[in-house]
Amino acid sequence: MFTAIAMIESTAVIVLALLMLALVGDRLARSFWFGSIVYGVIFAGAGVISMASPVELQPGFYVDARSVVMALSGVIAGPVGVLVTGAALSAMRYSFGGEGMVGGIVSLWLVAIPAVLMWVWLRYRERSPVQYRHIVILAATASLMPLFSIYIYLWEQDAALSIQIAQTVVPTTFFGVLVLGVLVVGDMQRRWALSAHAEGRAQLQAIAANAPSILFQFYLREDGIAQFLYVSEGVRRMLGISPEEIIEKPGAIGQMLPSSGLMLFRERVRESARHMTPWTLDMEFTLPDGRAVWMRGAAAPRVGIEGRIVWDGSLVDITEQKQTESLKAEFVSTVSHELRTPLTSIRGSLGLVVGGAAGELPEKAKGLLRIALSNCERLVRLINDILDIEKIESGRMQFDVKEQPLYPLVESAIDAGRDYLSDLSLWKTVLPERSSVSMRIACIR
């Protein structure tokens, strides 16, 4: 009983080494050689402290937690670290002397063999960190390896002492490696999870900062002001304001909008909250340097953890698009007005000629002039339609959709090209009887 308690106390010293590993593990993982050596030194210190108060079963035969230290050093620090640890513990055991010195040192290095092999397997074969199942395998192999040294160096001399040492070393090594190894794996997985989380967060921040849009997240306060929870770094580049200022001063971004634009924004957001539907809005911002930029905002609502509605969305710079649309509208308006002036003159002149102002014309000439006048009026209508494009695009144009007779349209199209047809006998095939056209129209309807 005393031996077991002493072994547990000796093994507990290794907990100090685990605490040190938890403090410096992240820094050491970045350098193989430096990290392995420091790991080896930490385990060597824990092993030396453990061996300083061993259990002496017989004069010259000592039992302590050195096997636990070597096993953990091998699987964590690798071959370089286990050499440092093994050298320190071997020197410590050599200083004790006694009949069991050689067997004790040999058993020490026998424990290191499966630990280092597992380290090599995990690093170069599986390419994965140590897991709990690996610790179980290591505890079983590390606890059995000292039996070879006991059999070779002690069994023939004193079988009873060999059994006594085996009964002490095997269970304490197994449970020591198992318990402490589980603690090590738990700490390493915690550090890996934190490192992976930090790496993932850094990647997302880098992607968001370099995205061609501003990503944001906000909710509406009781006073109707948008409280931003997150704004990507792109806002500094596009709007000339820092994300921190927008988050700390909720009304900062609202001051960059005209009053009408701000009211429209709040109206869209409230409507989105009532129906839980996404919203889209083009907004004109005035930057701190006085420049005006157009941004297209879009966001979708969701219910957050605290039960309030949160919008996740983005702002995209559409200044160039707005400028292009403005230039296009200006061009269309200018061209349309420039075309309307000569067309009005042409239409008036043709109307006078057809009306007989220039004298009586042959019937065939009148027909051609009527066609020209009709198409001139058609061009005027087309120009008016072009001028209405802006109303159509903005949705301000009202349409009165109703059925129209098809025959007059076909008839006018044929009349427009009647004088260009050399064989008038073909008209019967081109233009069938009105009744047959009416029947076809009815079928189409």
Side-chain angles (χ1 to χ4, degrees), residues 31-362:
S31 173
F32 170 75
W33 290 99
F34 180 73
S36 298
I37 292 173
V38 174
Y39 277 140
V41 171
I42 293 175
F43 280 112
V48 168
I49 295 174
S50 173
M51 293 177 66
S53 56
V55 176
E56 189 173 13
L57 299 180
Q58 284 190 13
F61 293 93
Y62 302 94
V63 178
D64 46 54
R66 79 189 82 155
S67 296
V68 178
V69 174
M70 283 295 286
L72 295 177
S73 177
V75 77
I76 296 174
V80 177
V82 84
L83 286 175
V84 175
T85 304
L89 300 187
S90 297
M92 186 72 173
R93 182 62 187 88
Y94 179 79
S95 66
F96 289 164
E99 297 181 11
M101 179 188 66
V102 176
I105 294 176
V106 170
S107 65
L108 190 70
W109 290 101
L110 287 175
V111 170
I113 293 174
V116 173
L117 290 176
M118 179 171 287
W119 181 89
V120 173
W121 175 270
L122 292 174
R123 187 179 182 89
Y124 298 104
R125 182 74 178 187
E126 290 192 4
R127 299 183 183 275
S128 66
V130 60
Q131 303 292 333
Y132 291 115
R133 66 178 185 276
H134 302 137
I135 293 299
V136 175
I137 297 172
L138 178 63
T141 54
S143 62
L144 295 177
M145 293 305 289
L147 296 179
F148 293 101
S149 176
I150 294 173
Y151 177 78
I152 295 173
Y153 294 100
L154 187 59
W155 180 260
E156 293 182 357
Q157 301 178 15
D158 193 338
L161 180 60
S162 299
I163 294 173
Q164 184 181 3
I165 295 176
Q167 289 177 342
T168 304
V169 171
V170 171
T172 53
T173 302
F174 177 81
F175 288 106
V177 173
L178 185 64
V179 174
L180 298 177
V182 167
L183 294 178
V184 170
V185 171
D187 176 69
M188 293 177 70
Q189 289 184 344
R190 179 189 62 82
R191 287 189 283 112
W192 289 327
L194 291 175
S195 178
H197 176 72
E199 180 68 18
R201 185 178 179 85
Q203 290 178 353
L204 290 177
Q205 287 179 343
I207 293 172
N210 294 282
S213 61
I214 302 171
L215 305 181
F216 61 81
Q217 185 182 81
F218 74 90
Y219 68 92
L220 280 185
R221 301 192 317 188
E222 294 181 357
D223 56 3
I225 297 177
Q227 175 66 59
F228 285 85
L229 302 173
Y230 170 78
V231 182
S232 65
E233 190 64 27
V235 72
R236 193 191 304 272
R237 182 177 67 254
M238 297 184 186
L239 296 182
I241 186 172
S242 67
E244 295 78 14
E245 185 176 356
I246 294 177
I247 295 174
E248 295 173 1
K249 301 176 181 178
I253 197 168
Q255 295 175 356
M256 304 174 70
L257 293 171
S259 57
S260 58
L262 184 59
M263 292 176 61
L264 182 59
F265 166 74
R266 291 177 177 175
E267 180 182 346
R268 290 286 179 87
V269 173
R270 291 193 187 98
E271 183 179 355
S272 173
R274 285 194 298 269
H275 304 288
M276 290 302 291
T277 53
W279 59 266
T280 302
L281 181 63
D282 293 349
M283 297 170 283
E284 185 180 16
F285 288 83
T286 302
L287 304 189
D289 59 4
R291 291 185 298 114
V293 296
W294 279 91
M295 305 293 291
R296 177 165 294 161
R302 62 178 175 85
V303 179
I305 298 177
E306 299 180 1
R308 62 192 177 197
I309 300 176
V310 178
W311 283 267
D312 305 305
S314 63
L315 283 172
V316 181
D317 191 343
I318 58 170
T319 304
E320 292 186 5
Q321 178 183 337
K322 286 290 185 179
Q323 291 174 348
T324 302
E325 292 176 355
S326 177
L327 290 174
K328 183 183 70 173
E330 183 179 352
F331 173 78
V332 170
S333 177
T334 301
V335 172
S336 300
H337 282 90
E338 292 297 327
L339 286 176
R340 179 184 288 180
T341 301
L343 275 176
T344 302
S345 178
I346 294 171
R347 184 178 62 173
S349 299
L350 288 173
L352 291 173
V353 173
V354 172
E360 192 67 25
L361 297 174

Side-chain angles (χ1 to χ4, degrees), residues 386-401:
I386 292 174
L387 293 175
D388 290 334
I389 288 178
E390 184 180 356
K391 293 182 180 180
I392 295 173
E393 290 180 345
S394 62
R396 293 184 286 111
M397 174 67 73
Q398 294 183 354
F399 292 93
D400 183 15
V401 181

